[in-house]
Amino acid sequence: MISIALSVNGVRHEVDVEPRTLLVDFLRDDLDLTGTKIGCDTSICGACTVQLDGRAVKSCTVLAVQADGASVTTVEGLEQGGKLHPVQEGFTEKHGLQCGFCTPGMLMTTSALLAQNKNPSEQEIREAIAGNLCRCTGYVNIVKAVQYAAEKMR
């Protein structure tokens, strides 16, 4: 076991983990943060995307020990004080989800994008979400949702 300390959604955790524990498994199994989905286990689908120190990463390819000393944000951490993050609101308002399986990863990827780029073009949005697969929507409404959020955040 290895001792790690990290902040998840603003809450500090000091825990012992197996060295081979994936961050996605730590979040889901140890912290019961099941919004982060396990999709493909090969980093292809992006359903497991979280933010690690503000950067969107696929948590199925990050070991929990690599997050030692870091700040992790999961989809559960986007909402603040009972208020949806603008990206969450955008996905609702612009119908950016259907089955919802890819939604947590899309939300984490696009909120990280908007933290870095307040006014992304359609092409920049599409490039940002290229590592997140959606089998339902065709991405049109996802792009509209991100544009909605960007406008709301400006």
Side-chain angles (χ1 to χ4, degrees), residues 60-108:
C60 73
T61 58
V62 176
L63 296 171
V65 296
Q66 291 175 287
D68 186 29
S71 174
V72 176
T73 305
T74 69
V75 69
E76 291 92 345
L78 283 182
E79 170 270 328
Q80 295 294 310
K83 185 170 169 53
L84 293 178
H85 186 281
V87 174
Q88 291 171 306
E89 188 179 319
F91 270 67
T92 300
E93 293 296 320
K94 298 298 179 181
H95 310 287
L97 64 134
Q98 284 183 19
C99 83
F101 193 81
C102 72
T103 304
M106 288 285 188
L107 292 170
M108 299 313 296

Side-chain angles (χ1 to χ4, degrees), residues 13-26:
H13 297 273
E14 295 183 22
V15 296
D16 293 333
V17 296
E18 290 281 342
R20 65 180 181 217
T21 301
L22 294 173
L23 182 57
V24 67
D25 293 325
F26 170 73

